[in-house]
Amino acid sequence: MELKGPCRILRIYLDESHKWEHQTVYHALVERFLKEGLAGATVLRAIEGYGSKARIHSARWIDAAQSLPVVVEVVDRPEKIKEAMKWVAPMLPAHCLVTTQEIHVLHYYAPDGKHVAEA
């Protein structure tokens, strides 16, 4: 499948320690994105940040209990992102930020037989 032109990116900002059904939220989301056939997802681990609780989380401090910020990004056609939000929303913790943005994909290719379903 080729994915080019107008698309949408969904970004979810949360703490790496947030859980959903006995696993991290970010891992549960990536597994579900794959299962649902979205084009691609990435989890980015931040080295520092703060959110709605106004408390800085940083990798600079030697604290194994510290939960660092993560950003989950998924890209696909706008209608697939809109549909995904129906099952993403219940998985999210109270303290997180969710954004979407219109983007223009220049290059993406999934070989035949891979997980991506035709749109």
Side-chain angles (χ1 to χ4, degrees), residues 3-29:
L3 185 69
K4 280 190 176 178
C7 288
R8 186 165 287 279
I9 186 166
L10 170 66
R11 288 189 186 98
I12 304 165
Y13 299 79
L14 48 107
D15 287 346
E16 66 182 337
S17 64
H18 285 144
K19 301 286 187 202
W20 187 78
E21 293 188 355
H22 309 293
Q23 62 181 325
T24 59
V25 173
Y26 67 85
H27 183 71
L29 287 168

Side-chain angles (χ1 to χ4, degrees), residues 36-37 42 45 58 63 72 76 85 113:
E36 298 293 334
T42 300
R45 187 174 190 225
S58 176
D63 182 0
V72 180
D76 211 309
M85 281 307 301

